[in-house]
Amino acid sequence: MDIRQILPTDFNPASRVWIYQSNRPFSEKEQAEIAEQLEQFTAHWQAHGAPVKGWAKLLFEQVILVIADETDTHVSGCSTDSSVRVIKSIERQYSVNLFDRLLLGFVLKEKLQLLPMMQVPYALEKGYIDENTIYLNNTVLTLKELEENWLQPLKNSWLAKKFAIAQ
């Protein structure tokens, strides 16, 4: 999957990125509702009364990407909090966890599969994943990093060193 085909093309490469991964896929109905909520939020996102150039989308049926281009309006603590409120609202509304950083995402057969971090060695040993499995590196902070390092082979990720995966 080339993520660049989905992302906004008129945003500064230094735009800030937040990634929220759900512990389960959303149904089609939920996806449509979430898409509408994200669209409403970004259309009205403000920082100290000034509009924030924002973009948000649900990918892989369970990953919410939020991007803010700070070229004209800096995203302050209050405006970041407003985005987190939307995410927490989605969490409550759909009974999901969007803040579990120990649940890792891998793309297997074009679908997102989640794996608790402590099960990665077992999954490697049993061949469920390998060094070329695409990993969702949700630690990226900018649009440029998102484009270049979000979807990466496991061997190129920070997990390679943690679990001594051949590079």
Side-chain angles (χ1 to χ4, degrees), residues 50-69:
V52 171
K53 183 178 179 181
W55 181 94
K57 193 164 187 80
L58 180 65
L59 301 175
F60 294 110
E61 300 175 359
Q62 67 192 95
V63 178
I64 297 173
L65 279 181
V66 179
I67 303 173
D69 185 335

Side-chain angles (χ1 to χ4, degrees), residues 24 26-41 58 64 86 89-90 93-95:
R24 70 162 175 83
F26 293 104
S27 70
E28 282 188 34
K29 181 179 183 290
E30 291 170 334
Q31 289 177 51
E33 292 168 359
I34 290 167
E36 176 63 27
Q37 289 177 48
L38 295 174
E39 193 173 307
Q40 286 297 317
F41 169 71
L58 180 65
I64 297 173
V86 169
S89 170
I90 291 169
Q93 192 175 352
Y94 300 105
S95 301

Side-chain angles (χ1 to χ4, degrees), residues 5-42:
Q5 295 175 346
I6 299 164
L7 299 174
T9 55
D10 60 338
F11 275 50
N12 186 304
S15 296
R16 287 177 59 191
V17 170
W18 295 268
I19 302 170
Y20 302 95
Q21 184 174 274
S22 171
N23 60 319
R24 70 162 175 83
F26 293 104
S27 70
E28 282 188 34
K29 181 179 183 290
E30 291 170 334
Q31 289 177 51
E33 292 168 359
I34 290 167
E36 176 63 27
Q37 289 177 48
L38 295 174
E39 193 173 307
Q40 286 297 317
F41 169 71
T42 55

Side-chain angles (χ1 to χ4, degrees), residues 4 18 45 70 73 83 116 129 136:
R4 285 170 261 234
W18 295 268
W45 196 2
E70 297 182 294
T73 306
S83 70
I129 61 173
L136 275 68

Side-chain angles (χ1 to χ4, degrees), residues 13 15 17 137 139-151:
S15 296
V17 170
N137 177 17
T139 65
V140 298
L141 299 173
T142 66
L143 181 57
K144 183 174 177 23
E145 288 179 2
L146 183 74
E147 291 173 348
E148 296 174 359
N149 299 316
W150 183 44
L151 303 176

